[in-house]
Amino acid sequence: MKAILTLCLIFLASLLHAEALPDPQGDVILSVSGDIAVTNGEGVARFDRAMLEALAQRTTTTMTPWYETSRAFSGPLGQALLEAVGAQGQTVRIFALNDYSADVPVEDFQSHPVILATHADGQPLSIRDKGPLFLIYPFDEAPELFNEVYFGRSVWQIARIEVLD
């Protein structure tokens, strides 16, 4: 009986450990808080560039209102980020470095391959060029998204995300 209890405790501990995020080794460029189940700090999931690059990636080539030509944006899928932190809410509030924020329904990440672009045309996005993270919708693939509603959700210079109920 004692051996079975010990095995159960080891199994439970391994499950809890599997869900933990590693500590960032580089500069933190994104913090996620709110209604999340997986953290690497007190109530927060902190990500450096390498951690974001370890998530499922996508390249979206699209026109946007902010550039004169189509650009190839690449970065982690928003859905992969939400899964990595165990997001439980229905909405995320995305904050830029200047504290601009927009509320984005979680459904957007489930219905479309929305990315947190870290690169444009193969070059890292600098703060001057809307980085380090820029929420990009697949406007060319889903032309119905090319409107003011989704432009307002396309936050650039993303610094943090709060998952809301």
Side-chain angles (χ1 to χ4, degrees), residues 6 15 31 40 47 68 92 116 125 130 134 139 153:
T6 301
L15 285 177
S31 297
N40 57 8
F47 290 84
E68 292 181 15
V92 294
L116 294 165
L125 287 172
K130 301 185 175 26
F134 187 177
F139 294 122
R153 295 177 184 172

Side-chain angles (χ1 to χ4, degrees), residues 15-23 30-47 51 55 80-89 161 163:
L15 285 177
L16 293 174
H17 180 69
E19 289 187 10
L21 283 175
D23 286 331
L30 178 66
S31 297
V32 183
S33 62
D35 196 358
I36 61 175
V38 182
T39 64
N40 57 8
E42 194 166 323
V44 66
R46 299 165 297 132
F47 290 84
M51 293 169 70
L55 298 173
L81 175 73
L82 295 179
E83 289 172 3
V85 299
Q88 312 276 322
I161 295 173
V163 180

